[in-house]
Amino acid sequence: EGKPQEISNTIWAMSELKYHCPNLAAGISQNAEKYVYNTDCGNLAQIAHGLADLGFFKESAFDALARQAERVARDGCEHDCCILLWSLALAGRLKEY
């Protein structure tokens, strides 16, 4: 179990390199809900986009990310909200939320 910044960097690199490591990506996706409240929106966006790009993102992880986006929007931080919306849009999930 790594720190959210380390997880974010790893998934981003895997996505950029198109490096498929199914066990690692599936494990991170399974535990993605843990990171929602323990990291900043930039890391969340990278995790969400990277996992979606690699095809390893569970519904529960998208649900948790959408809940975080709603919280961020209520708190009024436009930049963080934009980052989360960007990641949902790139993952092709924006219309669902």
Side-chain angles (χ1 to χ4, degrees):
E1 189 168 309
K3 296 177 183 175
Q5 178 69 49
E6 295 167 347
I7 301 293
S8 173
N9 291 346
T10 300
I11 285 298
W12 175 82
M14 288 172 59
S15 174
E16 286 295 307
L17 297 171
K18 302 297 182 212
Y19 177 75
H20 290 270
C21 183
N23 291 337
L24 177 60
I28 290 171
S29 180
Q30 252 180 344
N31 294 301
E33 291 177 78
K34 292 179 186 178
Y35 309 126
V36 171
Y37 301 106
N38 297 325
T39 190
D40 63 42
C41 292
N43 287 333
L44 287 175
Q46 283 187 337
I47 291 169
H49 179 252
L51 288 173
D53 190 44
L54 292 169
F56 289 98
F57 215 95
K58 295 175 58 174
E59 290 298 317
S60 59
F62 273 113
D63 290 342
L65 185 62
R67 285 191 304 272
Q68 177 69 354
E70 289 173 8
R71 187 188 67 75
V72 168
R74 279 193 306 272
D75 291 347
C77 185
E78 295 86 4
H79 177 72
D80 287 348
C81 192
C82 286
I83 290 172
L84 286 170
L85 291 173
W86 168 82
S87 67
L88 288 170
L90 285 179
R93 302 303 294 265
L94 190 57
K95 291 180 183 177
E96 294 181 28
Y97 298 101

